[in-house]
Amino acid sequence: MENQTSNFIKDIMIKDLESGKHETIVTRFPPEPNGYLHIGHAKSIIINFGLADDFNGKTNLRFDDTNPLKEDVEYVNSIKEDVKWLGFEWDDLFFASNYFEEMFKRAVLLIKKGLAYVDDLSADEIREYRGTLTEPGKNSPYRDRSIEENLKLFARMRDGAYGNGQKVLRAKIDMKSPNINLRDPVIYRIAHATHHNTGDKWCIYPMYAFAHPLEDAIEGVTHSICTVEFEDQRPLYNWVVEQCEMDSTPQQIEFGRLNVTNTVMSKRKLKQLVEEGYVDGWDDPRMPTISGMRRKGFTPESIRDFVRETGVSKGSGAVDTQMLEHFVREDLKLKVPRTMGVIKPLKVVITNYPEGQIELLDAEINPENLDMGMRKIPFSREIYIEQDDFMENPPKKYFRLFPGNEVRLKNAYFIKCEEIVKDAKGEVVELHCTYDPETKSGTGFTGRKVKGTIHWVEAAHAVPAEFRLYEPLILDKNEENNDEGKTFLDHVNPQSLEILQGFVEPNMKESRPQDKFQFFRHGYFNVDPKHTTVDKLVFNRIVSLKSSFKI
């Protein structure tokens, strides 16, 4: 795996090793299995695994599965697949739920130390008592329960004596703290729900802010790397580790989260897009999920390069989606075959070409990587070209096909438009052209020049194909900037997907899901793994050929 460039987290690790604070680096990637991973999680994966690799340390994959109401084994499996696809292998696989007994014991320890109490206030009342950023909170009327009473009530909570929301366990810290996170945070709540890992064994579950530091300490994590929104929770993280008397003390370090323009990065919003049918699943190619990007055709190398280029810092900001597309173009341009596909077909009959004759023409598989060799393309009297490559009444400086004009067919001959065939509605449905047999590509013909070259597919052997062209899912570059009364759904692009029926070269017939190609003039495409069948080829456009983005 490629090494991380220097950054402030790496500098901290270097100092910790040099000072003897740690003998080895241990990081973890700790997703909650309540949705599919997205490009922001990819940054966390690459940072955690990459930094540990730099120091020959270890990285664990740990599922923070403390909320059975939102979690599912489907998400567990998808996360494992995403991490492996990005090119990483975890050293150990852990589940927070495997530590539930230990977490319960630590909560009991807090109660015995007078640092936790059972509260009967409702969730709304707890919020009301908490205060605001400018006003201190006030103590719950249950805050001064005795240690004995709290131990008894907490045990009854575990035994299932109370319903959801009837009681919670809160840490007793400081209701007047300027940091709201320290105003007696809830550390256990009641949830009568089946857990994907522990079944019905538990009906009380630790809150994330309490469980997470304990998990890190139990696993001996040296550097707990997270995004900046957890910075205000760092005092609580340290308090939990210290007051629960854990044997190791992880260091929480925050970095700026990755946002990309023209999309959403909230799991809640992504789930809403899926559930309300705006997309066809978590792996829809318009989604910023890793599975969606994989299905669209992005490569793990391109995502790793993109994330490393964005760097590691405290600052957060939206990165232009064009930057991400730039890296996939750079990764694919020397790797994938070039071929021709017609996505809006217009039939052309070459009237002076012999009927029934099939000619095989030579073409480079990738002109930028000649080591990939050559391919054969059939040519005959009837071909398809793009509708956009013909105009009956063209403007000036239009160099493609129009009545009386001559163009080169890529890898083939010059053809000249002689006649137009229209249907009853007056739409052009067929062109009659002539070709010049002396102008065959590769013969060194210099008799005259043409300014336009267009692509084509021979009609008799053409393979039908579906092309899916994507535009950004969210029209607003910053979807958080919603006008009053509007939500992110008001910015969903109704034109984000265009489906077209066309043709590809016959050598594409054996294409398999996830095979990638560059279609002449159209861009880079991936064979869709979800909709492609033995009888139907479906191509997702990964990116167009050109980008205005500059590194």
Side-chain angles (χ1 to χ4, degrees):
M1 187 53 57
E2 307 93 329
N3 288 338
Q4 295 274 348
T5 55
S6 181
N7 59 67
F8 78 98
I9 302 177
K10 190 171 184 177
D11 292 341
I12 291 171
M13 291 177 171
I14 291 171
K15 290 178 182 177
D16 288 347
L17 289 171
E18 290 177 344
S19 68
K21 180 180 178 181
H22 299 296
E23 293 183 358
T24 188
I25 300 298
V26 181
T27 62
R28 82 289 171 269
F29 175 59
E32 298 173 74
N34 56 7
Y36 281 61
L37 300 183
H38 55 60
I39 185 66
H41 296 110
K43 181 167 186 173
S44 181
I45 292 169
I46 292 165
I47 289 174
N48 276 287
F49 281 89
L51 285 169
D53 286 348
D54 283 349
F55 296 103
N56 295 315
K58 61 181 291 188
T59 303
N60 298 326
L61 174 61
R62 180 183 71 233
F63 291 96
D64 266 324
D65 54 346
T66 59
N67 186 355
L69 299 175
K70 295 184 178 181
E71 295 160 356
D72 194 282
V73 70
E74 173 191 352
Y75 303 135
V76 171
N77 292 333
S78 73
I79 290 169
K80 290 179 182 177
E81 182 180 1
D82 289 346
V83 172
K84 287 183 177 180
W85 179 77
L86 280 172
F88 298 98
E89 286 289 340
W90 51 86
D91 288 274
D92 289 300
L93 177 65
F94 296 120
F95 289 85
S97 52
N98 290 341
Y99 310 142
F100 280 171
E101 194 65 50
E102 180 66 22
M103 292 175 186
F104 179 81
K105 291 177 182 176
R106 300 291 169 166
V108 169
L109 174 63
L110 291 180
I111 294 173
K112 289 180 178 178
K113 293 172 70 171
L115 295 177
Y117 62 96
V118 174
D119 196 351
D120 294 2
L121 292 179
S122 68
D124 289 339
E125 289 170 331
I126 289 174
R127 274 192 292 271
E128 182 182 341
Y129 275 58
R130 186 178 290 131
T132 66
L133 293 172
T134 57
E135 297 177 354
K138 58 182 180 180
N139 291 348
S140 165
Y142 305 100
R143 195 175 195 264
D144 295 323
R145 277 174 162 156
S146 68
I147 290 174
E148 291 74 16
E149 185 179 6
N150 282 317
L151 288 171
K152 185 184 298 182
L153 290 172
F154 192 47
R156 286 177 56 78
M157 284 172 61
R158 175 176 180 167
D159 291 340
Y162 309 109
N164 294 349
Q166 276 192 272
K167 297 185 187 297
V168 295
L169 183 69
R170 298 177 68 179
K172 185 186 289 188
I173 307 179
D174 181 4
M175 289 302 294
K176 293 181 172 57
S177 173
N179 187 336
I180 289 181
N181 293 291
L182 297 179
R183 295 180 188 174
D184 291 10
V186 174
I187 59 175
Y188 263 90
R189 81 288 205 192
I190 298 169
H192 291 276
T194 300
H195 189 280
H196 76 94
N197 189 31
T198 59
D200 297 322
K201 181 178 179 181
W202 294 87
C203 62
I204 59 170
Y205 292 92
M207 300 298 288
Y208 178 88
F210 176 69
H212 188 77
L214 295 181
E215 296 156 26
D216 285 345
I218 291 169
E219 293 169 15
V221 169
T222 57
H223 300 84
S224 179
I225 304 167
C226 58
T227 47
V228 289
E229 63 264 32
F230 292 99
E231 188 168 18
D232 288 343
Q233 290 196 24
R234 195 195 317 153
L236 176 58
Y237 181 101
N238 294 336
W239 184 92
V240 170
V241 172
E242 179 183 355
Q243 297 302 331
C244 287
E245 301 176 12
M246 304 304 292
D247 293 332
S248 67
T249 306
Q251 179 182 359
Q252 179 175 307
I253 307 172
E254 307 87 14
F255 68 92
R257 65 183 297 171
L258 174 62
N259 293 303
V260 179
T261 59
N262 297 108
T263 189
V264 291
M265 302 291 268
S266 156
K267 278 187 185 177
R268 177 184 60 80
K269 292 177 179 178
L270 293 174
K271 190 173 185 179
Q272 190 174 353
L273 289 170
V274 173
E275 292 180 344
E276 296 185 17
Y278 288 91
V279 293
D280 74 347
W282 285 95
D283 65 348
D284 188 296
R286 292 167 290 181
M287 295 277 272
T289 54
I290 296 173
S291 58
M293 296 174 73
R294 178 167 62 248
R295 180 179 159 201
K296 190 177 186 183
F298 278 80
T299 61
E301 295 87 351
S302 66
I303 294 175
R304 294 201 302 266
D305 289 343
F306 164 71
V307 166
R308 290 196 172 94
E309 183 65 30
T310 63
V312 181
S313 67
K314 284 280 191 178
S316 294
V319 179
D320 197 313
T321 187
Q322 290 185 75
M323 180 177 176
L324 177 57
E325 293 176 349
H326 163 82
F327 280 101
V328 76
R329 286 189 194 93
E330 287 297 300
D331 185 54
L332 292 177
K333 67 181 181 180
L334 299 180
K335 289 182 178 179
V336 303
R338 309 286 173 88
T339 186
M340 293 190 287
V342 175
I343 66 176
K344 294 180 180 178
L346 173 61
K347 193 169 187 179
V348 173
V349 178
I350 304 170
T351 56
N352 64 332
Y353 194 88
E355 289 192 45
Q357 178 173 306
I358 296 290
E359 183 179 0
L360 292 178
L361 305 176
D362 292 319
E364 295 160 332
I365 291 176
N366 187 330
E368 292 187 75
N369 183 359
L370 297 180
D371 291 340
M372 294 182 72
M374 305 290 290
R375 73 184 193 277
K376 295 288 187 181
I377 309 171
F379 183 79
S380 73
R381 179 183 171 90
E382 296 185 358
I383 64 173
Y384 294 111
I385 67 168
E386 291 291 348
Q387 293 176 17
D388 295 342
D389 283 340
F390 171 80
M391 291 187 74
E392 185 175 7
N393 300 296
K396 289 183 178 180
K397 296 186 177 181
Y398 181 83
F399 299 125
R400 285 172 255 172
L401 205 56
F402 57 86
N405 191 46
E406 195 172 40
V407 299
R408 174 176 286 286
L409 295 176
K410 178 73 172 172
N411 300 120
Y413 299 94
F414 289 9
I415 61 169
K416 183 178 181 180
C417 181
E418 307 285 0
E419 183 183 350
I420 303 169
V421 178
K422 297 183 179 181
D423 63 12
K425 296 179 181 179
E427 300 289 334
V428 176
V429 293
E430 188 173 290
L431 304 178
H432 290 179
C433 298
T434 55
Y435 90 115
D436 183 344
E438 293 185 2
T439 60
K440 184 176 180 180
S441 287
T443 60
F445 173 79
T446 58
R448 63 187 182 281
K449 294 183 178 179
V450 291
K451 292 185 176 180
T453 298
I454 64 175
H455 62 282
W456 55 278
V457 174
E458 193 272 327
H461 297 87
V463 177
E466 179 175 292
F467 299 88
R468 295 181 168 224
L469 310 183
Y470 298 97
E471 296 295 336
L473 183 60
I474 303 297
L475 290 171
D476 193 343
K477 274 188 171 289
N478 183 359
E479 63 85 18
E480 299 296 339
N481 295 335
N482 288 318
D483 297 330
E484 188 174 348
K486 290 191 174 183
T487 73
F488 82 100
L489 294 175
D490 294 299
H491 299 298
V492 171
N493 180 5
Q495 310 299 325
S496 62
L497 170 62
E498 182 180 13
I499 299 177
L500 300 169
Q501 307 298 327
F503 298 97
V504 294
E505 293 179 25
N507 56 19
M508 302 286 285
K509 193 171 185 179
E510 303 304 317
S511 300
R512 294 291 177 261
Q514 299 293 5
D515 285 350
K516 296 168 180 55
F517 304 90
Q518 186 199 106
F519 284 118
F520 187 67
R521 295 226 328 265
H522 286 309
Y524 292 95
F525 285 74
N526 186 55
V527 180
D528 185 84
K530 195 167 188 175
H531 295 301
T532 293
T533 65
V534 175
D535 301 318
K536 181 181 180 184
L537 272 176
V538 179
F539 293 94
N540 296 321
R541 183 159 68 183
I542 311 168
V543 285
S544 58
L545 286 180
K546 293 184 179 180
S547 169
S548 60
F549 187 81
K550 303 295 183 185
I551 293 293

